[in-house]
Amino acid sequence: MAEPASPAQIIDGKIYAERLRRDVADEVARLRAEHGLQPGLAVVLVGDDPASQIYVRSKGEHSLAAGMHSATYRLPAETTQDELVSLVKALNADPAIHGILVQLPLPKHLDERAVLAMLDPEKDVDGLTMINAGRLASGLPGLYPCTPVGCMMLLREAVGDLTGRRAVVVGRSMLVGRPIAQLLLQADCTVTIAHSRTRDLAAVCREADILVAAVGRPRMIRGDWIKPGAAVIDVGINRVPFDNPEKAAQGKTKVVGDVHFKEAAQVAGWITPVPGGVGLMTVAALLQNTVTAAKRAAGLEA
Ligand code: NDP
């Protein structure tokens, strides 16, 4: 880690996500030309959650733009467990599909765990099956969750070598917090996982050379929780009313992270903005995971 800059350098997710998507597109073109292999991604959306609809559209568009085969399944909110499981089984068996993503959250009447348990781990490009979580925890190659993979890419681009750094991850979900902590451990960081029961969270955060916020609470992490010069990765995506009272009165909202950006940027060495940081990397990492899955399925080195 170099000497901290003040205010913080912004880690621009747009630049890195674009580059990763370009690299993926080049690799897809090569696979198609040299091996007749077109990586295929299936995205399954149940119900009409507005945020999920945006994510699913973006995933479909970006996979097509990368030259991949893309199939999007939009199922009604009243889809039954059996119907969803049947679709997952059919996709497991479809040779044109190398990656399957079931957009979460599912409607309340569906059992997420049971659906994920049906996914072929070799097509589990979101890295959410027990098998892939176990591989990650054991330090074995596998398909790892996309947002954590994207966070690690940003950290490596910005900070370089992470060896020996103190990392604090706030949040312990299977989707974000836990896998990021595992990846930081693999990168030889000394890792603390904090959560809602952590005592004196501010003091724990202040120890971090690398602070990852994956909480889902707008601007919870304040400037004085941050060690000067730290790298701050803000995973949070929270909708809040505009600060401007006129816009707020019109019911307009904006997206902010889990970190109080203005305060944190005065203290941190590096920081990801929201929007424009981690979120953009998530889709790019999904495309990369799909290419990896396709290569493994075809017996090519991934
Ligand atoms: P979850 O709700 O599953 O997990 C939140 C975690 O934060 C839990 O471990 C919880 O602790 C912890 N937490 C909640 N409140 C506090 C608190 N006051 N102090 C300390 N820890 C707390 O959320 P996700 O992990 O799925 O998502 C986290 C955020 O990341 C959300 O804003 C989400 O929208 C965003 N996200 C962004 C993505 C992207 O592409 N940028 C992708 C996925 C998510 P406990 O376990 O004790 O309850």
Side-chain angles (χ1 to χ4, degrees):
M1 259 169 161
E3 275 299 299
S6 180
Q9 291 178 34
I10 308 297
I11 306 175
D12 186 347
K14 190 161 177 256
I15 293 175
Y16 299 117
E18 267 172 21
R19 196 172 72 197
L20 180 55
R21 289 202 307 267
R22 243 189 347 261
D23 290 349
V24 168
D26 289 348
E27 183 62 355
V28 170
R30 188 187 72 80
L31 290 171
R32 290 177 73 170
E34 293 179 13
H35 300 280
L37 173 64
Q38 185 181 29
L41 173 67
V43 179
V44 180
L45 172 64
V46 186
D48 41 23
D49 176 66
S52 293
Q53 284 179 339
I54 294 170
Y55 296 145
V56 164
R57 195 179 323 126
S58 161
K59 286 164 187 172
E61 284 169 4
H62 282 303
S63 45
L64 283 177
M68 295 163 53
H69 169 58
S70 163
T72 302
Y73 296 84
R74 291 186 171 79
L75 308 182
E78 54 279 8
T79 299
T80 65
Q81 185 83 13
D82 285 350
E83 286 167 338
L84 182 55
V85 167
S86 297
L87 174 58
V88 168
K89 283 184 178 167
L91 294 171
N92 282 344
D94 184 342
I97 296 298
H98 305 97
I100 305 168
L101 183 143
V102 179
Q103 184 68 42
L104 302 179
L106 290 172
K108 294 251 175 316
H109 68 280
L110 296 171
D111 180 347
E112 258 172 37
R113 278 185 190 219
V115 173
L116 293 176
M118 296 312 299
L119 269 183
D120 178 350
E122 308 313 320
K123 295 190 178 189
D124 166 30
V125 280
D126 227 0
L128 292 178
T129 55
M130 297 277 197
I131 296 281
N132 282 315
R135 286 170 175 159
L136 174 57
S138 315
L140 296 171
L143 293 166
Y144 300 160
C146 304
T147 302
V149 167
C151 290
M152 293 303 289
M153 287 177 184
L154 292 182
L155 270 174
R156 287 216 166 85
E157 290 287 351
V159 177
D161 186 14
L162 307 179
T163 306
R165 299 290 158 192
R166 290 293 306 264
V168 173
V169 180
V170 190
R172 56 177 165 179
S173 72
M174 292 302 292
L175 187 64
V176 193
R178 279 172 210 247
I180 289 185
Q182 293 290 351
L183 290 170
L184 287 163
L185 193 59
Q186 278 187 20
D188 295 324
C189 292
T190 303
V191 185
T192 300
I193 305 178
H195 45 77
S196 66
R197 305 297 173 92
T198 297
R199 290 190 191 159
D200 199 353
L201 181 61
V204 173
C205 290
R206 252 178 245 123
E207 290 177 4
D209 301 312
I210 294 165
L211 179 61
V212 181
V215 187
R217 295 192 181 263
R219 298 173 178 142
M220 185 186 85
I221 293 180
R222 310 300 301 239
D224 63 357
W225 295 25
I226 291 166
K227 181 175 173 178
V232 178
I233 302 291
D234 189 353
V235 184
I237 299 179
N238 308 290
R239 278 217 162 263
V240 296
F242 265 91
D243 301 328
N244 175 327
E246 261 178 45
K247 285 188 179 170
Q250 292 163 7
K252 290 192 176 162
T253 57
K254 63 174 178 176
V255 171
V256 300
D258 292 339
V259 177
H260 195 298
F261 183 83
K262 270 194 195 151
E263 290 180 8
Q266 298 306 314
V267 188
W270 296 266
I271 188 165
T272 58
V274 178
V278 173
L280 299 171
M281 292 300 287
T282 298
V283 178
L286 171 68
L287 303 183
Q288 190 188 43
N289 270 355
T290 305
V291 169
T292 300
K295 283 160 85 168
R296 289 200 183 127
L300 302 169
E301 197 186 333

